[in-house]
Amino acid sequence: MPNKEEIHGNWSEFKGKLKQEYAQLTDDDLMYEEGKEDEMWGKLEKKLGKAKKEILSVFE
């Protein structure tokens, strides 16, 4: 599973993979803002009904 720095450094790639896996995600859902990562992950968890670890399993 990628760490915070890997996700931030490769956000465009990760965003694309997430959108492929979870077609219901929008660009707004995947808006990465420095310092607001936890808020973004909380929204994704709620929308997808999955834990962050499950969402990130796409990258394994």
mmCIF file of all heavy atoms in Angstrom, residues 15 19 22-31 44 47:
data_model
loop_
_atom_site.group_PDB
_atom_site.id
_atom_site.type_symbol
_atom_site.label_atom_id
_atom_site.label_comp_id
_atom_site.label_asym_id
_atom_site.label_seq_id
_atom_site.Cartn_x
_atom_site.Cartn_y
_atom_site.Cartn_z
ATOM 1 N N LYS A 15 -5.095 8.904 -8.979
ATOM 2 C CA LYS A 15 -6.453 9.388 -9.275
ATOM 3 C C LYS A 15 -7.039 8.603 -10.448
ATOM 4 O O LYS A 15 -8.187 8.168 -10.407
ATOM 5 C CB LYS A 15 -6.386 10.882 -9.584
ATOM 6 C CG LYS A 15 -7.703 11.532 -9.887
ATOM 7 C CD LYS A 15 -7.484 13.019 -10.122
ATOM 8 C CE LYS A 15 -8.668 13.688 -10.700
ATOM 9 N NZ LYS A 15 -8.463 15.118 -10.923
ATOM 10 N N LYS A 19 -10.342 6.137 -10.358
ATOM 11 C CA LYS A 19 -11.497 6.367 -11.229
ATOM 12 C C LYS A 19 -11.802 5.138 -12.087
ATOM 13 O O LYS A 19 -12.959 4.861 -12.394
ATOM 14 C CB LYS A 19 -11.271 7.606 -12.097
ATOM 15 C CG LYS A 19 -11.431 8.896 -11.301
ATOM 16 C CD LYS A 19 -11.158 10.114 -12.130
ATOM 17 C CE LYS A 19 -12.380 10.481 -12.925
ATOM 18 N NZ LYS A 19 -12.209 11.764 -13.638
ATOM 19 N N TYR A 22 -13.340 2.638 -9.420
ATOM 20 C CA TYR A 22 -14.594 3.122 -8.842
ATOM 21 C C TYR A 22 -15.177 4.191 -9.758
ATOM 22 O O TYR A 22 -14.958 5.384 -9.573
ATOM 23 C CB TYR A 22 -14.358 3.691 -7.437
ATOM 24 C CG TYR A 22 -13.683 2.721 -6.497
ATOM 25 C CD1 TYR A 22 -12.355 2.888 -6.118
ATOM 26 C CD2 TYR A 22 -14.382 1.633 -5.985
ATOM 27 C CE1 TYR A 22 -11.741 1.985 -5.252
ATOM 28 C CE2 TYR A 22 -13.784 0.738 -5.121
ATOM 29 C CZ TYR A 22 -12.461 0.920 -4.769
ATOM 30 O OH TYR A 22 -11.858 0.031 -3.913
ATOM 31 N N ALA A 23 -15.925 3.745 -10.754
ATOM 32 C CA ALA A 23 -16.443 4.637 -11.801
ATOM 33 C C ALA A 23 -17.330 5.745 -11.251
ATOM 34 O O ALA A 23 -17.479 6.793 -11.884
ATOM 35 C CB ALA A 23 -17.202 3.827 -12.841
ATOM 36 N N GLN A 24 -17.907 5.553 -10.063
ATOM 37 C CA GLN A 24 -18.802 6.562 -9.501
ATOM 38 C C GLN A 24 -18.053 7.771 -8.939
ATOM 39 O O GLN A 24 -18.672 8.778 -8.600
ATOM 40 C CB GLN A 24 -19.721 5.953 -8.430
ATOM 41 C CG GLN A 24 -19.033 5.515 -7.152
ATOM 42 C CD GLN A 24 -18.586 4.056 -7.161
ATOM 43 O OE1 GLN A 24 -18.091 3.553 -8.148
ATOM 44 N NE2 GLN A 24 -18.775 3.382 -6.047
ATOM 45 N N LEU A 25 -16.734 7.704 -8.851
ATOM 46 C CA LEU A 25 -15.967 8.839 -8.331
ATOM 47 C C LEU A 25 -15.849 9.938 -9.384
ATOM 48 O O LEU A 25 -15.662 9.675 -10.563
ATOM 49 C CB LEU A 25 -14.573 8.395 -7.900
ATOM 50 C CG LEU A 25 -14.516 7.442 -6.714
ATOM 51 C CD1 LEU A 25 -13.074 7.037 -6.434
ATOM 52 C CD2 LEU A 25 -15.149 8.048 -5.481
ATOM 53 N N THR A 26 -15.947 11.165 -8.914
ATOM 54 C CA THR A 26 -15.816 12.332 -9.795
ATOM 55 C C THR A 26 -14.501 13.044 -9.506
ATOM 56 O O THR A 26 -13.828 12.752 -8.519
ATOM 57 C CB THR A 26 -16.971 13.317 -9.557
ATOM 58 O OG1 THR A 26 -16.848 13.840 -8.227
ATOM 59 C CG2 THR A 26 -18.325 12.643 -9.729
ATOM 60 N N ASP A 27 -14.153 13.997 -10.357
ATOM 61 C CA ASP A 27 -12.954 14.805 -10.108
ATOM 62 C C ASP A 27 -13.076 15.558 -8.786
ATOM 63 O O ASP A 27 -12.089 15.723 -8.074
ATOM 64 C CB ASP A 27 -12.720 15.792 -11.254
ATOM 65 C CG ASP A 27 -12.197 15.103 -12.508
ATOM 66 O OD1 ASP A 27 -11.561 14.042 -12.394
ATOM 67 O OD2 ASP A 27 -12.438 15.637 -13.602
ATOM 68 N N ASP A 28 -14.284 16.008 -8.465
ATOM 69 C CA ASP A 28 -14.488 16.706 -7.192
ATOM 70 C C ASP A 28 -14.225 15.786 -6.006
ATOM 71 O O ASP A 28 -13.679 16.213 -4.993
ATOM 72 C CB ASP A 28 -15.906 17.270 -7.092
ATOM 73 C CG ASP A 28 -16.109 18.494 -7.966
ATOM 74 O OD1 ASP A 28 -15.104 19.115 -8.381
ATOM 75 O OD2 ASP A 28 -17.270 18.833 -8.235
ATOM 76 N N ASP A 29 -14.618 14.514 -6.126
ATOM 77 C CA ASP A 29 -14.360 13.551 -5.056
ATOM 78 C C ASP A 29 -12.869 13.364 -4.833
ATOM 79 O O ASP A 29 -12.422 13.091 -3.718
ATOM 80 C CB ASP A 29 -14.966 12.180 -5.393
ATOM 81 C CG ASP A 29 -16.476 12.178 -5.439
ATOM 82 O OD1 ASP A 29 -17.104 12.952 -4.686
ATOM 83 O OD2 ASP A 29 -17.036 11.402 -6.236
ATOM 84 N N LEU A 30 -12.111 13.489 -5.897
ATOM 85 C CA LEU A 30 -10.678 13.205 -5.851
ATOM 86 C C LEU A 30 -9.820 14.467 -5.847
ATOM 87 O O LEU A 30 -8.657 14.432 -6.239
ATOM 88 C CB LEU A 30 -10.303 12.303 -7.026
ATOM 89 C CG LEU A 30 -10.973 10.929 -6.995
ATOM 90 C CD1 LEU A 30 -10.814 10.221 -8.324
ATOM 91 C CD2 LEU A 30 -10.432 10.090 -5.857
ATOM 92 N N MET A 31 -10.389 15.561 -5.384
ATOM 93 C CA MET A 31 -9.656 16.823 -5.309
ATOM 94 C C MET A 31 -8.650 16.737 -4.158
ATOM 95 O O MET A 31 -9.032 16.629 -3.005
ATOM 96 C CB MET A 31 -10.616 17.989 -5.078
ATOM 97 C CG MET A 31 -9.952 19.344 -5.096
ATOM 98 S SD MET A 31 -9.309 19.843 -6.700
ATOM 99 C CE MET A 31 -10.795 19.902 -7.678
ATOM 100 N N LEU A 44 -14.327 9.835 0.635
ATOM 101 C CA LEU A 44 -14.249 8.652 -0.224
ATOM 102 C C LEU A 44 -14.772 7.416 0.504
ATOM 103 O O LEU A 44 -15.505 6.614 -0.078
ATOM 104 C CB LEU A 44 -12.811 8.418 -0.694
ATOM 105 C CG LEU A 44 -12.248 9.444 -1.675
ATOM 106 C CD1 LEU A 44 -10.789 9.139 -1.979
ATOM 107 C CD2 LEU A 44 -13.058 9.479 -2.955
ATOM 108 N N LYS A 47 -18.591 7.662 0.589
ATOM 109 C CA LYS A 47 -19.213 7.483 -0.722
ATOM 110 C C LYS A 47 -19.118 6.035 -1.199
ATOM 111 O O LYS A 47 -20.067 5.496 -1.770
ATOM 112 C CB LYS A 47 -18.568 8.408 -1.756
ATOM 113 C CG LYS A 47 -19.232 8.326 -3.123
ATOM 114 C CD LYS A 47 -18.819 9.435 -4.027
ATOM 115 C CE LYS A 47 -19.645 9.396 -5.313
ATOM 116 N NZ LYS A 47 -19.453 10.578 -6.122
#
